[in-house]
Amino acid sequence: MPADDPLAREFAYCAGRLSAEAQHHEDRELHALKKAMQELLAALITPEAEPAYEELRIAGHVAQSELLAVSRFSFDPREAERAKVLAAENMRQCRGMLLGG
């Protein structure tokens, strides 16, 4: 089944982004937020749709991991700053979905 529910798609991407951040920072709070996001996702989708949303979760994880790597290791300070700002904005949006702000 395709991953066609817009809200579930956002939950899947955010679960992946939160996973990458939690792994990068070794942060228990982020792990808890990732788990909460995954629970919300599971409540929205059917078991048959899980593989499609898992692909989106993985895509979110990879994209956030790349931003974190660029922000930390880029030789171009402007590129590193843009990646840092975008990674932080992604986290702000994901936290807002869970925490209402």
Side-chain angles (χ1 to χ4, degrees):
M1 295 186 69
D4 56 1
D5 181 312
L7 184 57
R9 289 177 65 86
E10 286 301 313
F11 285 165
Y13 279 127
C14 278
R17 290 175 180 143
L18 287 161
S19 174
E21 287 282 340
Q23 183 179 10
H24 180 78
H25 298 291
E26 297 180 14
D27 186 310
R28 288 181 190 224
E29 177 196 1
L30 290 171
H31 281 289
L33 291 175
K34 174 194 79 166
K35 184 177 181 195
M37 189 67 74
Q38 288 174 318
E39 289 170 358
L40 288 171
L41 175 62
L44 286 177
I45 63 173
T46 63
E48 298 82 29
E50 285 180 21
Y53 288 97
E54 179 65 8
E55 287 181 21
L56 294 174
R57 189 198 63 75
I58 291 167
H61 183 100
V62 168
Q64 192 72 10
S65 292
E66 288 175 356
L67 287 173
L68 294 170
V70 169
S71 71
R72 187 169 177 192
F73 299 113
S74 177
F75 293 114
D76 180 343
R78 288 178 297 189
E79 179 182 50
E81 183 60 23
R82 280 192 302 270
K84 182 179 177 181
V85 167
L86 185 53
E89 176 62 19
N90 287 344
M91 286 298 91
R92 188 192 65 72
Q93 290 175 0
C94 291
R95 284 176 186 268
M97 291 178 74
L98 285 170
L99 305 174

